[in-house]
Coordinates of all heavy atoms in Angstrom, one line a residue:
M39 N 0.8 -1.2 0.0 CA 0.0 0.0 0.0 C 0.9 1.3 0.0 O 0.5 2.2 -0.7 CB -0.9 0.0 1.2 CG -2.1 -0.9 1.1 SD -3.3 -0.8 2.4 CE -2.7 -2.1 3.5
A40 N 1.9 1.2 0.7 CA 2.8 2.4 0.8 C 3.4 2.7 -0.5 O 3.6 3.9 -0.9 CB 3.9 2.3 1.9
Y41 N 3.9 1.6 -1.3 CA 4.4 1.8 -2.6 C 3.4 2.5 -3.5 O 3.7 3.4 -4.2 CB 4.9 0.5 -3.2 CG 5.5 0.6 -4.6 CD1 6.7 1.0 -4.7 CD2 4.7 0.2 -5.7 CE1 7.3 1.1 -6.0 CE2 5.3 0.4 -6.9 CZ 6.5 0.8 -7.1 OH 7.1 0.9 -8.4
R42 N 2.2 2.0 -3.5 CA 1.1 2.6 -4.4 C 0.9 4.1 -4.0 O 0.7 4.9 -4.9 CB -0.1 1.8 -4.3 CG 0.0 0.4 -4.9 CD -1.3 -0.3 -4.7 NE -1.0 -1.7 -5.3 CZ -1.9 -2.6 -5.0 NH1 -2.9 -2.4 -4.2 NH2 -1.7 -3.9 -5.5
A43 N 0.8 4.3 -2.7 CA 0.6 5.7 -2.3 C 1.7 6.6 -2.7 O 1.5 7.8 -3.0 CB 0.4 5.7 -0.7
S44 N 3.0 6.1 -2.6 CA 4.2 6.9 -3.0 C 4.1 7.3 -4.5 O 4.4 8.3 -4.9 CB 5.5 6.2 -2.7 OG 5.7 5.1 -3.5
K45 N 3.6 6.3 -5.3 CA 3.5 6.6 -6.8 C 2.4 7.7 -7.0 O 2.6 8.5 -7.9 CB 3.2 5.4 -7.6 CG 4.3 4.3 -7.5 CD 5.6 5.0 -8.0 CE 6.8 4.1 -7.7 NZ 8.0 4.9 -7.8
A46 N 1.3 7.6 -6.3 CA 0.3 8.6 -6.4 C 0.8 10.0 -6.0 O 0.5 11.0 -6.7 CB -1.0 8.2 -5.7
A47 N 1.5 10.0 -4.9 CA 2.1 11.3 -4.5 C 3.1 11.8 -5.5 O 3.1 13.0 -5.7 CB 2.8 11.0 -3.2
L48 N 3.9 10.9 -6.2 CA 4.8 11.4 -7.2 C 4.0 12.0 -8.4 O 4.4 13.1 -8.9 CB 5.6 10.3 -7.6 CG 6.6 10.5 -8.8 CD1 7.7 11.5 -8.4 CD2 7.3 9.2 -9.3
N49 N 3.0 11.4 -8.7 CA 2.1 11.9 -9.9 C 1.6 13.3 -9.5 O 1.7 14.2 -10.3 CB 1.0 11.0 -10.2 CG 1.5 9.7 -10.8 OD1 2.7 9.5 -11.2 ND2 0.6 8.7 -10.9
Q50 N 1.1 13.5 -8.3 CA 0.5 14.7 -7.8 C 1.7 15.8 -7.7 O 1.4 17.0 -8.1 CB -0.2 14.6 -6.5 CG -0.9 15.9 -6.2 CD -1.9 16.4 -7.3 OE1 -2.8 15.6 -7.7 NE2 -1.8 17.7 -7.6
L51 N 2.8 15.4 -7.2 CA 4.0 16.3 -7.2 C 4.3 16.8 -8.6 O 4.6 18.0 -8.8 CB 5.1 15.7 -6.5 CG 6.4 16.5 -6.4 CD1 6.2 17.8 -5.6 CD2 7.5 15.7 -5.9
S52 N 4.3 15.9 -9.5 CA 4.7 16.3 -10.9 C 3.6 17.3 -11.4 O 4.0 18.2 -12.1 CB 4.8 15.0 -11.7 OG 5.0 15.5 -13.1
R53 N 2.4 17.0 -11.2 CA 1.3 17.9 -11.7 C 1.5 19.3 -11.0 O 1.3 20.3 -11.7 CB -0.1 17.4 -11.3 CG -0.5 16.2 -12.1 CD -1.4 16.7 -13.3 NE -1.7 15.6 -14.2 CZ -2.9 15.1 -14.3 NH1 -3.9 15.4 -13.5 NH2 -3.1 14.1 -15.2
T54 N 1.8 19.4 -9.8 CA 1.9 20.7 -9.1 C 3.1 21.4 -9.7 O 3.1 22.6 -9.9 CB 2.1 20.4 -7.6 OG1 0.9 19.7 -7.1 CG2 2.3 21.7 -6.8
M55 N 4.3 20.6 -9.8 CA 5.5 21.2 -10.4 C 5.1 21.8 -11.8 O 5.6 22.8 -12.2 CB 6.6 20.3 -10.4 CG 7.2 20.0 -9.1 SD 8.4 18.7 -9.1 CE 9.6 19.4 -10.2
A56 N 4.4 21.0 -12.6 CA 4.1 21.3 -14.0 C 3.3 22.7 -14.0 O 3.6 23.6 -14.8 CB 3.3 20.3 -14.6
A57 N 2.4 22.8 -13.1 CA 1.5 24.0 -13.1 C 2.4 25.2 -12.6 O 2.3 26.3 -13.2 CB 0.4 23.9 -12.1
E58 N 3.2 25.0 -11.7 CA 4.0 26.2 -11.2 C 5.2 26.5 -12.1 O 5.6 27.8 -12.1 CB 4.5 25.8 -9.8 CG 3.4 25.8 -8.7 CD 3.9 25.6 -7.3 OE1 5.2 25.7 -7.0 OE2 3.1 25.3 -6.4
L59 N 5.7 25.6 -12.8 CA 6.9 25.9 -13.6 C 6.7 26.1 -15.0 O 7.6 26.5 -15.9 CB 8.0 24.7 -13.5 CG 8.6 24.5 -12.0 CD1 9.4 23.3 -11.9 CD2 9.3 25.8 -11.6
A60 N 5.5 26.0 -15.5 CA 5.1 26.2 -16.9 C 5.4 27.5 -17.4 O 5.9 27.8 -18.5 CB 3.6 25.9 -17.1
R61 N 5.2 28.6 -16.5 CA 5.5 29.9 -16.9 C 7.0 30.2 -17.2 O 7.3 31.2 -17.7 CB 4.9 30.9 -15.9 CG 5.4 30.8 -14.5 CD 4.7 31.7 -13.5 NE 4.7 31.2 -12.2 CZ 3.7 30.5 -11.7 NH1 2.6 30.3 -12.3 NH2 3.7 30.0 -10.4
E62 N 7.8 29.2 -16.6 CA 9.2 29.3 -16.9 C 9.7 28.4 -18.0 O 10.8 28.1 -18.2 CB 10.0 29.0 -15.6 CG 9.7 30.1 -14.5 CD 10.5 29.7 -13.2 OE1 11.6 29.3 -13.3 OE2 9.9 29.8 -12.2
D63 N 8.7 27.9 -18.8 CA 9.0 27.0 -19.9 C 9.6 25.6 -19.6 O 10.2 25.0 -20.4 CB 9.8 27.7 -21.0 CG 9.1 28.9 -21.6 OD1 7.9 28.9 -21.7 OD2 9.9 29.9 -21.9
F64 N 9.3 25.2 -18.3 CA 9.6 23.8 -18.0 C 8.5 22.8 -18.5 O 7.3 23.2 -18.5 CB 9.8 23.6 -16.4 CG 11.1 24.2 -15.9 CD1 11.2 25.5 -15.5 CD2 12.1 23.3 -15.7 CE1 12.4 26.0 -15.0 CE2 13.3 23.8 -15.2 CZ 13.5 25.2 -14.9
I65 N 8.9 21.6 -18.8 CA 7.9 20.6 -19.0 C 8.2 19.5 -18.1 O 9.3 18.9 -18.0 CB 8.1 20.0 -20.5 CG1 7.8 21.1 -21.6 CG2 7.1 18.8 -20.7 CD1 8.2 20.7 -23.0
C66 N 7.2 19.3 -17.1 CA 7.4 18.3 -16.1 C 6.5 17.1 -16.4 O 5.2 17.3 -16.5 CB 7.0 18.9 -14.8 SG 8.0 20.3 -14.3
I67 N 7.0 15.9 -16.4 CA 6.2 14.7 -16.7 C 6.6 13.6 -15.7 O 7.7 13.7 -15.1 CB 6.4 14.2 -18.1 CG1 7.8 13.8 -18.4 CG2 5.9 15.2 -19.2 CD1 8.0 12.8 -19.6
V68 N 5.8 12.6 -15.6 CA 6.2 11.3 -15.0 C 6.2 10.4 -16.1 O 5.3 10.3 -17.0 CB 5.2 10.9 -13.9 CG1 5.5 9.5 -13.4 CG2 5.2 11.9 -12.8
I69 N 7.3 9.5 -16.2 CA 7.4 8.5 -17.3 C 7.6 7.2 -16.7 O 8.5 7.0 -15.8 CB 8.5 9.0 -18.3 CG1 8.5 8.0 -19.5 CG2 9.8 9.0 -17.6 CD1 9.3 8.5 -20.7
S70 N 6.8 6.2 -17.1 CA 7.0 4.9 -16.7 C 8.0 4.2 -17.6 O 8.0 4.3 -18.8 CB 5.7 4.1 -16.8 OG 5.8 2.7 -16.6
P71 N 9.0 3.5 -17.0 CA 9.9 2.8 -17.7 C 9.5 1.6 -18.5 O 10.2 1.0 -19.3 CB 11.1 2.4 -16.7 CG 10.3 2.2 -15.5 CD 9.1 3.3 -15.5
G72 N 8.2 1.1 -18.2 CA 7.7 -0.1 -18.8 C 8.1 -1.2 -17.9 O 8.7 -1.1 -16.8
W73 N 7.8 -2.5 -18.3 CA 8.1 -3.7 -17.6 C 9.5 -4.1 -18.0 O 9.8 -4.5 -19.1 CB 7.1 -4.8 -17.9 CG 7.3 -6.0 -17.1 CD1 8.0 -6.1 -15.9 CD2 6.7 -7.2 -17.4 NE1 7.9 -7.5 -15.5 CE2 7.1 -8.2 -16.3 CE3 5.9 -7.8 -18.4 CZ2 6.7 -9.5 -16.3 CZ3 5.5 -9.1 -18.4 CH2 5.9 -9.9 -17.4
V74 N 10.4 -3.9 -17.0 CA 11.9 -4.0 -17.4 C 12.5 -5.2 -16.6 O 12.2 -5.5 -15.5 CB 12.6 -2.7 -17.0 CG1 14.1 -2.9 -17.3 CG2 12.0 -1.5 -17.6
R75 N 13.4 -5.9 -17.3 CA 14.1 -7.1 -16.7 C 15.1 -6.6 -15.7 O 16.3 -6.3 -16.0 CB 14.8 -7.9 -17.8 CG 13.9 -8.8 -18.6 CD 14.6 -9.8 -19.5 NE 15.5 -9.1 -20.4 CZ 15.1 -8.7 -21.6 NH1 13.9 -8.8 -22.0 NH2 16.1 -8.1 -22.4
T76 N 14.6 -6.5 -14.5 CA 15.5 -6.1 -13.4 C 15.1 -7.1 -12.2 O 14.3 -8.0 -12.4 CB 15.2 -4.7 -12.9 OG1 13.8 -4.6 -12.4 CG2 15.4 -3.7 -14.0
E77 N 15.8 -6.8 -11.1 CA 15.4 -7.6 -9.9 C 13.9 -7.5 -9.6 O 13.2 -8.5 -9.2 CB 16.3 -7.2 -8.7 CG 16.6 -8.3 -7.8 CD 17.6 -7.8 -6.7 OE1 18.8 -7.7 -7.1 OE2 17.2 -7.7 -5.6
M78 N 13.4 -6.3 -9.7 CA 12.0 -6.0 -9.4 C 11.1 -6.6 -10.6 O 10.1 -7.1 -10.3 CB 11.7 -4.6 -9.1 CG 10.3 -4.2 -8.8 SD 10.2 -2.4 -8.4 CE 8.5 -2.3 -8.2
G79 N 11.5 -6.3 -11.8 CA 10.6 -6.7 -12.9 C 10.7 -8.2 -13.2 O 9.7 -8.7 -13.8
G80 N 11.7 -8.8 -12.9 CA 11.8 -10.3 -13.2 C 12.4 -10.6 -14.6 O 12.4 -9.8 -15.4
N81 N 12.7 -11.9 -14.7 CA 13.2 -12.3 -16.0 C 12.2 -12.4 -17.2 O 12.5 -12.4 -18.3 CB 13.8 -13.7 -15.9 CG 15.0 -13.7 -15.0 OD1 15.8 -12.7 -15.0 ND2 15.3 -14.8 -14.3
G82 N 10.9 -12.4 -16.8 CA 9.8 -12.4 -17.8 C 9.5 -11.1 -18.5 O 8.8 -11.0 -19.4
A83 N 10.1 -10.1 -17.9 CA 9.8 -8.7 -18.5 C 10.4 -8.6 -20.0 O 11.4 -9.1 -20.2 CB 10.5 -7.7 -17.6
P84 N 9.6 -8.0 -20.8 CA 10.0 -7.9 -22.2 C 11.1 -6.9 -22.5 O 11.7 -7.0 -23.6 CB 8.7 -7.5 -22.9 CG 8.0 -6.7 -21.9 CD 8.3 -7.3 -20.6
L85 N 11.4 -5.9 -21.7 CA 12.4 -4.8 -22.0 C 13.6 -5.1 -21.1 O 13.6 -5.3 -20.0 CB 11.8 -3.5 -21.6 CG 10.7 -3.0 -22.5 CD1 10.1 -1.7 -21.8 CD2 11.0 -2.8 -23.9
S86 N 14.8 -4.9 -21.8 CA 16.0 -4.8 -21.1 C 16.1 -3.4 -20.5 O 15.5 -2.5 -21.0 CB 17.2 -5.1 -22.0 OG 17.4 -4.0 -22.9
P87 N 17.0 -3.2 -19.5 CA 17.2 -1.8 -19.1 C 17.6 -0.8 -20.2 O 17.1 0.3 -20.2 CB 18.3 -1.9 -18.0 CG 18.1 -3.3 -17.5 CD 17.7 -4.2 -18.7
E88 N 18.5 -1.3 -21.1 CA 18.9 -0.5 -22.2 C 17.8 -0.1 -23.1 O 17.7 1.0 -23.6 CB 20.0 -1.2 -23.0 CG 21.3 -1.4 -22.2 CD 21.3 -2.7 -21.2 OE1 20.3 -3.5 -21.3 OE2 22.2 -2.8 -20.4
Q89 N 16.9 -1.1 -23.4 CA 15.8 -0.8 -24.3 C 14.9 0.2 -23.6 O 14.3 1.1 -24.4 CB 15.0 -2.1 -24.6 CG 15.7 -3.0 -25.5 CD 15.0 -4.4 -25.6 OE1 14.6 -4.9 -24.6 NE2 15.0 -4.9 -26.8
S90 N 14.6 0.1 -22.4 CA 13.8 1.0 -21.6 C 14.3 2.4 -21.7 O 13.6 3.4 -22.0 CB 13.6 0.5 -20.2 OG 12.9 1.5 -19.4
V91 N 15.6 2.5 -21.4 CA 16.2 3.8 -21.4 C 16.2 4.5 -22.8 O 15.9 5.7 -22.9 CB 17.7 3.8 -20.9 CG1 18.4 5.1 -21.1 CG2 17.7 3.5 -19.4
R92 N 16.5 3.7 -23.9 CA 16.4 4.2 -25.2 C 15.0 4.8 -25.5 O 14.8 5.8 -26.1 CB 16.9 3.2 -26.3 CG 18.3 3.2 -26.5 CD 18.6 2.4 -27.8 NE 18.2 1.0 -27.7 CZ 18.9 0.0 -27.2 NH1 20.1 0.2 -26.6 NH2 18.5 -1.2 -27.2
A93 N 14.0 4.0 -25.1 CA 12.6 4.4 -25.5 C 12.3 5.7 -24.7 O 11.6 6.5 -25.3 CB 11.6 3.2 -25.1
M94 N 12.7 5.7 -23.4 CA 12.3 6.9 -22.7 C 13.0 8.2 -23.1 O 12.4 9.3 -23.2 CB 12.6 6.7 -21.1 CG 11.7 5.7 -20.5 SD 11.9 5.6 -18.7 CE 13.5 4.9 -18.5
L95 N 14.3 8.0 -23.6 CA 15.0 9.2 -24.2 C 14.3 9.7 -25.5 O 14.3 10.9 -25.7 CB 16.5 8.8 -24.4 CG 17.3 8.7 -23.2 CD1 18.7 8.1 -23.6 CD2 17.4 9.9 -22.4
K96 N 13.8 8.8 -26.2 CA 13.0 9.2 -27.5 C 11.8 10.0 -27.0 O 11.5 11.0 -27.7 CB 12.6 8.0 -28.3 CG 13.7 7.4 -29.1 CD 13.2 6.2 -29.9 CE 14.3 5.4 -30.6 NZ 13.8 4.3 -31.3
V97 N 11.1 9.6 -26.0 CA 9.9 10.3 -25.5 C 10.4 11.7 -25.0 O 9.7 12.7 -25.4 CB 9.3 9.5 -24.4 CG1 8.1 10.4 -23.7 CG2 8.6 8.2 -24.9
I98 N 11.4 11.7 -24.2 CA 11.9 13.0 -23.7 C 12.3 14.0 -24.9 O 11.9 15.1 -24.9 CB 13.1 12.8 -22.8 CG1 12.5 12.0 -21.5 CG2 13.8 14.1 -22.4 CD1 13.6 11.5 -20.6
D99 N 12.9 13.5 -25.9 CA 13.3 14.3 -27.1 C 12.2 14.8 -27.7 O 12.2 15.9 -28.4 CB 14.2 13.5 -28.0 CG 15.6 13.3 -27.5 OD1 16.0 14.0 -26.6 OD2 16.3 12.4 -28.1
R100 N 11.0 14.2 -27.7 CA 9.8 14.7 -28.5 C 8.8 15.5 -27.6 O 7.8 15.9 -28.1 CB 9.0 13.5 -29.0 CG 9.7 12.6 -30.0 CD 8.8 11.6 -30.6 NE 7.9 10.9 -29.7 CZ 8.1 9.6 -29.3 NH1 9.0 8.8 -29.9 NH2 7.3 9.1 -28.5
L101 N 9.2 15.7 -26.4 CA 8.2 16.5 -25.5 C 7.9 17.9 -26.0 O 8.8 18.6 -26.6 CB 8.8 16.7 -24.1 CG 8.9 15.4 -23.3 CD1 9.6 15.6 -21.9 CD2 7.4 14.8 -23.0
K102 N 6.6 18.2 -25.9 CA 6.1 19.6 -26.3 C 5.5 20.2 -25.0 O 5.1 19.5 -24.1 CB 5.1 19.5 -27.4 CG 5.7 18.8 -28.6 CD 4.6 18.7 -29.6 CE 5.0 17.8 -30.8 NZ 4.9 16.4 -30.4
P103 N 5.3 21.5 -25.0 CA 4.6 22.2 -23.9 C 3.3 21.5 -23.5 O 2.9 21.5 -22.4 CB 4.5 23.6 -24.3 CG 5.6 23.8 -25.2 CD 5.8 22.5 -25.9
A104 N 2.6 21.0 -24.5 CA 1.2 20.3 -24.3 C 1.4 19.1 -23.5 O 0.4 18.6 -22.9 CB 0.6 20.0 -25.6
D105 N 2.5 18.5 -23.4 CA 2.8 17.3 -22.6 C 3.0 17.6 -21.1 O 3.0 16.7 -20.3 CB 4.0 16.5 -23.1 CG 3.9 16.1 -24.5 OD1 2.8 15.6 -24.9 OD2 4.9 16.2 -25.3
N106 N 3.1 18.9 -20.7 CA 3.4 19.2 -19.4 C 2.2 18.7 -18.4 O 1.1 18.8 -18.7 CB 3.4 20.8 -19.3 CG 4.0 21.3 -18.0 OD1 4.8 20.6 -17.4 ND2 3.5 22.4 -17.6
G107 N 2.7 18.0 -17.3 CA 1.8 17.5 -16.3 C 1.4 16.2 -16.5 O 0.6 15.6 -15.8
Q108 N 1.7 15.5 -17.7 CA 1.3 14.2 -18.0 C 2.0 13.0 -17.4 O 3.1 13.2 -17.0 CB 1.1 14.0 -19.6 CG 0.2 14.9 -20.3 CD 0.1 14.5 -21.7 OE1 0.9 13.7 -22.3 NE2 -0.9 15.1 -22.4
F109 N 1.4 11.9 -17.3 CA 2.0 10.7 -16.9 C 2.1 9.9 -18.2 O 1.0 9.5 -18.8 CB 1.2 10.0 -15.9 CG 1.7 8.6 -15.4 CD1 3.0 8.2 -15.7 CD2 0.9 7.9 -14.6 CE1 3.4 7.0 -15.1 CE2 1.3 6.6 -14.1 CZ 2.6 6.2 -14.4
L110 N 3.3 9.6 -18.7 CA 3.5 8.9 -20.0 C 4.2 7.5 -19.8 O 4.9 7.3 -18.9 CB 4.4 9.7 -20.9 CG 3.8 11.2 -21.2 CD1 4.9 11.9 -22.0 CD2 2.5 11.2 -21.9
D111 N 3.8 6.6 -20.8 CA 4.6 5.3 -20.7 C 5.9 5.4 -21.5 O 6.1 6.6 -22.0 CB 3.7 4.2 -21.2 CG 3.4 4.2 -22.7 OD1 3.9 5.0 -23.4 OD2 2.5 3.4 -23.1
E112 N 6.6 4.4 -21.6 CA 7.9 4.5 -22.3 C 7.8 4.7 -23.7 O 8.9 5.0 -24.4 CB 8.7 3.2 -21.9 CG 8.4 2.0 -22.8 CD 7.1 1.2 -22.3 OE1 6.5 1.7 -21.3 OE2 6.9 0.2 -22.9
R113 N 6.6 4.6 -24.3 CA 6.4 4.9 -25.8 C 5.8 6.2 -26.0 O 5.6 6.7 -27.1 CB 5.5 3.9 -26.4 CG 6.1 2.5 -26.3 CD 5.0 1.4 -26.7 NE 3.8 1.7 -25.9 CZ 3.2 0.9 -25.1 NH1 3.7 -0.4 -25.0 NH2 2.2 1.2 -24.5
G114 N 5.5 7.0 -24.9 CA 5.0 8.3 -25.0 C 3.4 8.5 -24.9 O 3.0 9.6 -25.1
K115 N 2.8 7.3 -24.7 CA 1.4 7.4 -24.6 C 1.0 7.7 -23.1 O 1.5 7.3 -22.2 CB 0.8 6.0 -24.9 CG 1.1 5.6 -26.4 CD 0.4 4.4 -26.8 CE 0.8 4.1 -28.2 NZ 0.0 3.1 -28.9
E116 N -0.2 8.6 -23.1 CA -0.6 9.0 -21.8 C -1.1 7.8 -21.0 O -1.9 7.0 -21.5 CB -1.7 10.1 -21.9 CG -2.0 10.7 -20.6 CD -2.9 11.9 -20.8 OE1 -3.3 12.2 -21.9 OE2 -3.2 12.5 -19.7
V117 N -0.8 7.8 -19.7 CA -1.3 6.8 -18.8 C -2.3 7.4 -17.9 O -1.9 8.4 -17.2 CB -0.1 6.2 -17.9 CG1 -0.7 5.1 -17.0 CG2 1.0 5.5 -18.9
P118 N -3.5 6.9 -17.8 CA -4.5 7.5 -16.9 C -4.2 7.1 -15.5 O -3.6 6.0 -15.2 CB -5.8 6.8 -17.3 CG -5.4 5.6 -18.1 CD -4.1 5.8 -18.7
W119 N -4.4 8.0 -14.5 CA -4.2 7.7 -13.1 C -5.3 8.2 -12.2 O -6.0 9.1 -12.3 CB -2.8 8.0 -12.7 CG -2.5 9.5 -12.6 CD1 -2.0 10.2 -13.6 CD2 -2.5 10.3 -11.5 NE1 -1.8 11.5 -13.2 CE2 -2.1 11.6 -11.8 CE3 -2.9 10.2 -10.1 CZ2 -2.0 12.7 -11.0 CZ3 -2.8 11.3 -9.3 CH2 -2.5 12.5 -9.8

């Protein structure tokens, strides 16, 4: 429960930062790395850490002011929360 609550708090913090920093041309997002083969993700996860990072960097490179405050997946699609 604490892990889930911390993720919700992170999303809200990002939204607050997005609203406050937009006037300074910051774009604040939360981005999910996807299901990654790590100790936490396990061996069945489809993404290697390197694939996840490459995908997230592509998303970051394409960010626009309209993305400010969003929660995105590693492909850049909005994740509802």
Side-chain angles (χ1 to χ4, degrees):
M39 284 187 266
Y41 178 79
R42 292 177 185 165
S44 73
K45 294 305 168 190
L48 176 63
N49 291 348
Q50 186 56 52
L51 176 62
S52 177
R53 285 262 173 110
T54 301
M55 289 174 60
E58 290 185 15
L59 296 172
R61 60 185 152 262
E62 297 179 42
D63 296 324
F64 281 87
I65 300 172
C66 300
I67 64 162
V68 174
I69 187 166
S70 170
W73 186 18
V74 183
R75 283 188 304 273
T76 62
E77 214 173 283
M78 183 177 175
N81 291 331
L85 295 172
S86 70
E88 295 80 10
Q89 290 170 316
S90 173
V91 170
R92 270 195 301 275
M94 289 188 294
L95 288 173
K96 285 180 184 178
V97 171
I98 291 167
D99 285 342
R100 295 189 315 250
L101 288 175
K102 299 177 195 78
D105 298 317
N106 194 32
Q108 291 187 352
F109 179 14
L110 304 173
D111 69 12
E112 78 282 1
R113 296 170 312 240
K115 295 187 182 191
E116 188 171 3
V117 177
W119 65 277

